[in-house]
């Protein structure tokens, strides 16, 4: 995606453009490709499904504000956050809404789905665990500032950064803090566990 409003497919060997798909505003969301479909968000408030071979639109789903979050696809459902303060679950085939979950701030964080639970951060300072099937909240964990970071889940622990300068480890089942690590600035990157 580019700030010129386009999503591009580029040949990995030659660097030649294969196709481009134009949206109405810039594209900061990273694409997700599943079964020959590319899923991408745009500042035009839409989530798009694009044919990976041709670059033609399969469907679009309109939210109420920018989609900077990168989509996650699990069990034929696309999960994505929006600056309209919501996390959405959208049918991957049709583009129809399955459910939406409201937070008290924009959702820039990209969702992580593990064992039928969606984990996502919000500008309202919280990390949320949401039931992937129903959209019901399982728990929330409050940090001291906005959560741009996308969660990483390993062995029943959720790792996420916060603008409060901390990296947190949170129990994936209960939402209880296991530990935190203090840095001297906002932690907007997404953790990698090795």
């Amino acid at each position: 995606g580019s700030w010129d409003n386009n999503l591009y497919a580029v040949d990995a060997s030659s660097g030649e453009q294969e196709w481009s798909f134009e949206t109405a505003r810039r594209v900061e969301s990273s694409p997700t490709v599943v079964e020959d479909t590319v899923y991408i968000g745009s500042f035009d408030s839409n989530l798009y499904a694009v044919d990976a071979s041709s670059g033609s639109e399969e469907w679009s789903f309109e939210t109420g504000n920018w989609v900077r979050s990168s989509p996650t696809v699990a069990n034929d459902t696309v999960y994505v956050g929006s600056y309209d303060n919501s996390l959405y679950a959208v049918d991957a085939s049709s583009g129809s809404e399955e459910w939406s979950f409201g937070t008290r701030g924009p959702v820039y964080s990209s969702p992580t789905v593990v064992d039928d639970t969606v984990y996502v951060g919000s500008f309202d300072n919280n990390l949320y665990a949401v039931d992937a099937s129903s959209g019901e909240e399982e728990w929330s964990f409050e940090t001291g500032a906005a959560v741009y970071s996308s969660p990483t889940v390993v062995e029943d622990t959720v790792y996420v950064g916060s603008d409060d300068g901390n990296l947190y480890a949170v129990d994936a089942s209960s939402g209880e803090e296991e530990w935190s690590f203090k840095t001297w600035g906002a932690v907007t990157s997404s953790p990698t566990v090795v």
Side-chain angles (χ1 to χ4, degrees), residues 29-156:
S29 170
S30 296
T32 299
V33 183
V34 177
E35 295 180 4
D36 204 40
T37 299
V38 184
Y39 301 94
I40 192 78
S42 170
F43 267 51
D44 67 8
S45 303
N46 286 291
L47 168 68
Y48 291 97
V50 179
D51 185 281
S53 301
S54 66
S56 59
E57 182 178 318
E58 296 180 358
W59 52 257
S60 63
F61 173 79
E62 186 174 7
T63 75
N65 208 326
W66 304 339
V67 180
R68 294 179 76 184
S69 172
S70 298
T72 299
V73 181
N75 301 317
D76 299 317
T77 300
V78 186
Y79 301 93
V80 72
S82 171
Y83 267 54
D84 68 3
N85 303 352
S86 297
L87 168 68
Y88 290 94
V90 179
D91 185 278
S93 300
S94 67
S96 60
E97 182 178 322
E98 295 180 357
W99 52 257
S100 65
F101 174 78
T103 74
R104 295 181 305 280
V107 180
Y108 173 84
S109 172
S110 298
T112 299
V113 183
V114 176
D115 296 335
D116 203 40
T117 299
V118 186
Y119 302 93
V120 73
S122 171
F123 281 19
D124 69 5
N125 305 353
N126 285 287
L127 168 67
Y128 290 96
V130 179
D131 185 283
S133 301
S134 68
E136 295 295 316
E137 181 178 321
E138 295 179 359
W139 53 256
S140 62
F141 173 77
E142 188 172 5
T143 75
V147 179
Y148 284 78
S149 176
S150 300
T152 298
V153 183
V154 177
E155 296 180 358
D156 204 39

Side-chain angles (χ1 to χ4, degrees), residues 2-7 21-27 40-46 48 57 60 62 66:
S2 172
W3 279 34
D4 70 3
N5 304 349
N6 286 279
L7 169 68
F21 174 78
E22 186 173 10
T23 74
R25 302 270 313 266
R26 72 181 188 241
V27 178
I40 192 78
S42 170
F43 267 51
D44 67 8
S45 303
N46 286 291
Y48 291 97
E57 182 178 318
S60 63
E62 186 174 7
W66 304 339

